[in-house]
Amino acid sequence: MPQKPHKIDQLSAEQLDENLDQLAILLHANVLAGASVSFVMPFDLPQSSRFWQHKIRPLVAAGDTLLLVATLNGRIVGSVQLECDMPPNQPHRAAIAKLLVHPDYRRKGIARALMVAAEQAAKQKNRNLLTLDTASDEAMALYKQLGYVQVGIIPGYALTAQATQLEATTIMYKTL
């Protein structure tokens, strides 16, 4: 049976609750695959669930962060966060955070679709400057294709997911 095209939705706090298990699996799979998204091994599903429930849910409920998810055949296969809670002198800016695509579904246009949806959501919130940072060369290539500009590299920024060494991060921005 052919796969249906993926779909992008914005989740409310209540929808986050309803999809907590799927979100936990998504983050967990990314960390196990080596993604540099703030966590180090050992990392288990309960830790992943706590991140969504205790860190992201309150931000989504307050409207400070938008959570966009990609679904395929009813399963969450990707997500991205648009952080909109900025200081008073930066009402025009938002930050992209934690672009995640389940390792089994990569290279199918899901990350691109999530980023395009995040940019559209930013425009709807009257944000015309997006910032992000990434340790992934693959993600950086996507961001450059989407028009993000590399500002610089910070060496030794964070531990790898395996917690074996420090890695750099690349700071990027895009004017919408």
Side-chain angles (χ1 to χ4, degrees):
M1 180 177 185
Q3 291 184 337
K4 297 177 186 173
H6 55 268
K7 175 179 138 177
I8 308 293
D9 292 303
Q10 181 180 326
L11 296 189
S12 67
E14 293 74 24
Q15 290 168 317
L16 185 155
D17 292 339
E18 294 164 10
N19 292 283
L20 183 60
D21 289 345
Q22 290 187 56
L23 290 165
I25 289 167
L26 174 66
L27 176 60
H28 184 252
N30 273 270
V31 174
L32 288 182
S36 181
V37 289
S38 304
F39 302 97
V40 296
M41 298 301 294
F43 183 72
D44 59 24
L45 281 170
Q47 288 173 290
S48 185
S49 291
R50 283 192 298 277
F51 166 77
W52 291 106
Q53 199 168 34
H54 298 295
K55 175 142 184 162
I56 302 306
R57 188 193 192 286
L59 297 171
V60 170
D64 294 338
T65 294
L66 304 182
L67 175 59
L68 303 174
V69 297
T71 56
L72 184 64
N73 297 326
R75 300 289 307 163
I76 293 176
V77 295
S79 70
V80 69
Q81 297 165 38
L82 183 69
E83 299 173 343
C84 297
D85 185 25
M86 296 294 150
N89 68 340
Q90 299 170 40
H92 62 291
R93 186 172 78 79
I96 299 288
K98 297 213 181 355
L99 175 63
L100 305 171
V101 176
H102 192 285
D104 293 344
Y105 295 93
R106 291 185 180 158
R107 308 199 74 63
K108 299 182 184 306
I110 294 168
R112 177 180 297 277
L114 284 163
M115 288 299 295
V116 168
E119 289 176 7
Q120 291 170 346
K123 288 178 187 175
Q124 290 173 350
K125 302 229 8 127
N126 297 316
R127 307 303 169 108
N128 61 19
L129 177 65
L130 294 178
T131 60
L132 60 83
D133 70 270
T134 183
S136 164
D137 290 339
E138 187 175 343
M140 189 166 46
L142 169 66
Y143 298 140
K144 285 182 177 181
Q145 289 172 5
L146 291 171
Y148 286 77
V149 177
Q150 180 177 326
V151 176
I153 298 172
I154 302 172
Y157 188 77
L159 284 170
T160 61
Q162 297 76 24
T164 55
Q165 64 187 31
L166 291 172
E167 64 184 340
T169 195
T170 301
I171 308 296
M172 304 181 87
Y173 76 93
K174 180 176 181 178
T175 303
L176 303 176

